Amino acid sequence: MNRTAPSDVRAWCQAHGFRPNRTLGQNFLIDRNILEAIVAETGAGPGARVLEVGPGLGVLTEALLRRGARVTAIEKDPALAAWLRESLCAEFPDALTLIPGDALRVDWPALLGQGFDAFASNLPYSVGTRILMELLAQPKAPPRLTLLLQREVAERLAAPPGTPARGTASVWAQLGHDVRLARLVGPACFWPPPEVTSAVVTLTRHARSTLGPEGQATLRALAKHLFTQRRKQLGAALRRAPAPFAGLDPAAAGIDPARRAETLTLPEWEALAAAAANREATP
């Protein structure tokens, strides 16, 4: 089966009585050029260990395996998991590990403890952001993540300070990674075509954060709260914040209380999180 040939994909679906589920993000990539671009973005060569969520019919999985990578793939749909076991697991028994199940229920620390060089996925649009945020919060997350996402989500991940798209996802992603939009992907590159434009985005780990794991967890919680109050000035949003942020004065971190969350740079977020931690540590 040629997994990038629309006729082959439709024929497989018809033969197996399979109807793609839009809720599960089952829009299968059928563009060979986009596929090759995604594989190149992963940087995965022979022997690389790659984690994939939502392999679907296995188009990206197969391309990675043929490049010599070792892939662990998590697939929720039982019919697609059975097909992957029948086809790619049989062809690459020593290189492909299939985990049937929901990525939202994965024991991430245990799985990532195996050690992965890269993460690659055409993430389901309905839950893609949640999966990515849970993954980024893990200390042992792969150093490079290449994703095919809804364009709007990709732009939020890469949004710089002071832009309308800046939000919780931007801060969480950029806290530990450089985010780059590699290219846009039109609906015609999928079957069935989604109703939105997609984008290939790559997140590459950096070591610029001055915070340890606990400090980063504090920063994430702080960002989550403040972006739910994004129209408020920081001082006002923090006066009624839940513990442990209630009454935190942004001025303690050298930040004007009249500013708003989307204007803060990452160093300023880290300073604010450090101020919150210092206040908690003070008797």
Side-chain angles (χ1 to χ4, degrees):
M1 173 184 175
N2 182 350
R3 290 174 167 82
T4 56
S7 58
D8 283 15
V9 173
R10 286 193 293 267
W12 183 91
C13 291
Q14 184 175 6
H16 291 78
F18 184 86
R19 300 185 66 179
N21 186 323
R22 289 183 182 272
T23 302
L24 296 179
Q26 291 174 342
N27 303 99
F28 304 123
L29 182 66
I30 53 173
D31 188 291
R32 174 64 60 176
N33 291 330
I34 298 298
L35 172 61
E36 291 177 354
I38 295 172
V39 173
E41 284 289 326
T42 69
R49 300 200 64 187
V50 182
L51 177 62
E52 182 184 9
V53 168
L57 288 172
V59 61
L60 177 56
T61 319
E62 180 184 33
L64 290 166
L65 290 167
R66 297 205 183 283
R67 214 180 202 204
R70 301 175 62 85
V71 180
T72 296
I74 305 170
E75 177 54 57
K76 180 178 180 178
D77 191 296
L80 295 177
W83 162 246
L84 293 169
R85 191 177 298 109
E86 173 189 329
S87 56
L88 293 180
C89 286
E91 186 176 355
F92 300 92
D94 299 323
L96 176 58
T97 300
L98 178 65
I99 302 176
D102 190 343
L104 291 174
R105 299 182 179 180
V106 165
D107 183 343
W108 287 112
L111 178 60
L112 296 174
Q114 299 176 26
F116 291 96
D117 303 299
F119 177 88
S121 179
N122 176 7
L123 280 176
Y125 292 160
S126 58
V127 294
T129 302
R130 181 178 168 189
I131 292 172
L132 177 59
M133 293 301 103
E134 289 189 10
L135 180 60
L136 290 176
Q138 301 299 321
K140 294 184 179 181
R144 189 173 180 87
L145 300 92
T146 302
L147 313 164
L148 187 52
L149 291 165
Q150 186 174 342
R151 177 182 182 177
E152 179 183 345
V153 175
E155 290 176 342
R156 287 204 300 267
L157 293 174
T163 59
R166 183 76 164 179
T168 305
S170 319
V171 175
W172 283 26
Q174 296 171 31
L175 174 62
H177 296 78
D178 291 315
V179 183
R180 182 175 68 89
L181 268 66
R183 63 189 299 167
L184 298 180
V185 183
C189 294
F190 301 87
W191 186 85
E195 297 179 353
V196 296
T197 298
S198 304
V200 179
V201 60
T202 298
L203 293 83
T204 306
R205 185 187 297 159
H206 64 67
R208 295 192 297 274
S209 177
T210 61
L211 302 176
E214 290 187 5
Q216 291 189 9
T218 297
L219 188 155
R220 291 188 182 95
L222 188 59
K224 184 176 181 179
H225 167 72
L226 287 176
F227 277 111
T228 63
Q229 311 283 320
R230 65 181 304 139
R231 293 187 178 181
K232 292 185 178 179
Q233 297 178 349
L234 294 174
L238 287 169
R239 275 195 294 273
R240 297 184 178 181
F245 308 125
L248 174 64
D249 184 0
I255 300 170
D256 184 350
R259 290 176 61 188
R260 291 179 170 81
E262 68 269 18
T263 70
L264 298 184
T265 64
L266 281 175
E268 289 175 324
W269 277 109
E270 294 197 345
L272 194 58
N278 291 337
R279 192 180 65 158
E280 284 294 297
T282 303

